[in-house]
Amino acid sequence: PGTVRLAVRVMPLGKVVRAMKRTALGALKATTHVARAVNPLRALKRTLSTDSSTWLICGLGNPGAKFTRTKHNVGFDVIDEVVSGCGGEYASERKALVAKVTFDATSCVVCKPQTFMNLSGKSVRQLMKAYQIPKERVVIVYDDLDTNLGEMKIKVSGSHGGHNGIRSIIDDATNGSRDFPRVKIGIGRPSDANVPIYEYVLSRFSESEDDKIRETVREAAGVVRDIVLDGRVDDVMTRINTKYAPKKPAKPVKQPKPAKERVVVTTAVEGDNIKVTLDLRVPGKPKAKKPVVVEGAQTPATS
């Protein structure tokens, strides 16, 4: 009676050390989470850095003087037009040249990724994360071979269509999602089918083409502004896509069919005879009547 038995479990030293490490790490993590939660300055910074109305406008292109004013860099040209129109200035951030502008009271982050075209999505992903901008408010501006030179098309979804910059946006920035707004600037396809596409898109516009594309670039900068101010893409997309929709060929004017001759037959009963009149009517001519009397015809018997 009164005897106490203790069960002692003998553990290898290695297990004891690992258990102690786990306990210490757990305590350290718990302390860190509490410190972050109660740090008012950190919470304030997080609140200020997240603006649900901010838009990200990204033009695609390649960095470097040798790519300036090439067809593949028309997305950069639109961003330059937006920044100059708003009096903004570029700064290097997240592998891109970034400017902060506002349209009325709506803030925008406009950028030109400096990762080269094929890796554009990596820079866009970092900017989306830094400014907490969802893909629905990320507008990508880029060149399009399948749109006529100097025309525009707006889409809110779709595949990359062979464009490596859009391919990178889908793969690296939006986690495979194809649902994000796009403004496509038409550069057309080469008139010479023997010219490789990569040479064509990296070439500069001719003098006559340059005048046309500059006008389109200015219009595209206004389109971007309209999208941001409207807070949606649908209305602007309808307006622009209707404007640049392929024109249907005019229907040929139908020629009136020539009127055919008509014969009007009338009958009249005169006593025991039936009078039959044939009225031949020819278009454009006065009526010609040829009365024909059938003698001896009897009126039908009546019951």
Side-chain angles (χ1 to χ4, degrees):
T3 302
V4 177
R5 295 182 179 181
L6 298 176
V8 179
R9 182 181 177 185
V10 179
M11 297 178 59
L13 181 60
K15 287 187 176 181
V16 173
V17 172
R18 286 194 294 271
M20 292 176 65
K21 283 184 178 180
R22 285 196 298 270
T23 303
L25 286 173
L28 180 60
K29 288 181 179 179
T31 303
T32 303
H33 287 317
V34 171
R36 286 179 177 175
V38 299
N39 188 333
L41 181 59
R42 186 186 299 274
L44 178 61
K45 286 182 177 179
R46 186 163 56 246
T47 301
L48 293 176
S49 65
T50 304
D51 184 355
S52 60
S53 65
T54 301
W55 287 73
L56 175 61
I57 313 297
C58 175
L60 301 186
N62 288 306
K66 76 175 189 175
F67 297 109
T68 301
R69 301 297 301 160
T70 60
K71 297 177 176 69
H72 220 22
N73 270 36
V74 72
F76 276 12
D77 297 337
V78 174
I79 296 301
D80 288 339
E81 185 72 21
V82 171
V83 173
S84 64
C86 296
E89 294 184 358
Y90 289 113
S92 295
E93 181 183 347
R94 314 285 176 175
K95 301 178 182 178
L97 292 178
V98 177
K100 315 289 178 57
V101 301
T102 58
F103 295 131
D104 290 348
T106 305
S107 60
C108 294
V109 178
V110 294
C111 73
K112 300 191 296 184
Q114 302 296 290
T115 55
F116 287 95
M117 182 70 77
N118 296 4
L119 300 175
S120 301
K122 295 185 180 297
S123 174
V124 172
R125 178 186 61 199
Q126 292 185 22
L127 289 167
M128 290 173 65
K129 183 176 180 181
Y131 291 93
Q132 296 294 298
I133 301 175
K135 58 182 174 58
E136 292 79 13
R137 287 201 306 278
V138 177
V139 181
I140 307 297
V141 187
Y142 64 102
D143 59 291
D144 183 50
L145 286 163
D146 295 320
T147 302
N148 294 332
L149 178 73
E151 296 185 359
M152 261 190 296
K153 183 179 292 185
I154 299 178
K155 295 181 67 177
V156 293
S157 184
S159 68
H160 53 72
H163 194 288
N164 289 329
I166 296 297
R167 190 197 308 270
S168 179
I169 299 294
I170 294 172
D171 292 344
D172 300 322
T174 62
N175 295 321
S177 174
R178 301 177 177 184
D179 302 328
F180 54 89
R182 313 160 199 197
V183 178
K184 303 163 72 172
I185 310 298
I187 62 172
R189 288 190 173 270
S191 56
D192 185 354
N194 295 320
V195 175
I197 291 299
Y198 72 89
E199 287 185 8
Y200 176 73
V201 299
L202 294 179
S203 66
R204 288 182 167 83
F205 295 102
S206 66
E207 186 175 349
S208 60
E209 292 173 338
D210 194 63
D211 292 339
K212 190 171 186 178
I213 207 69
R214 282 180 181 273
E215 183 179 345
T216 306
V217 165
R218 287 191 290 269
E219 184 182 7
V223 165
V224 167
R225 183 178 186 275
D226 291 343
I227 290 174
V228 172
L229 291 179
D230 286 358
R232 51 184 301 186
V233 184
D234 297 356
D235 294 341
V236 182
M237 179 174 65
T238 299
R239 172 167 56 86
I240 294 299
N241 291 355
T242 301
K243 176 181 178 180
Y244 290 106
K247 302 296 186 293
K248 295 182 179 179
K251 294 183 179 180
V253 178
K254 290 185 177 180
Q255 298 297 330
K257 294 181 179 180
K260 296 181 179 180
E261 296 180 350
R262 295 186 300 164
V263 177
V264 179
V265 180
T266 57
T267 61
V269 178
E270 296 180 358
D272 293 335
N273 297 325
I274 298 177
K275 184 179 181 181
V276 180
T277 303
L278 301 179
D279 187 359
L280 179 62
R281 297 180 182 179
V282 182
K285 294 183 179 180
K287 296 180 181 180
K289 294 186 178 181
K290 298 180 179 180
V292 178
V293 178
V294 181
E295 299 293 342
Q298 299 296 319
T299 57
T302 57
S303 56

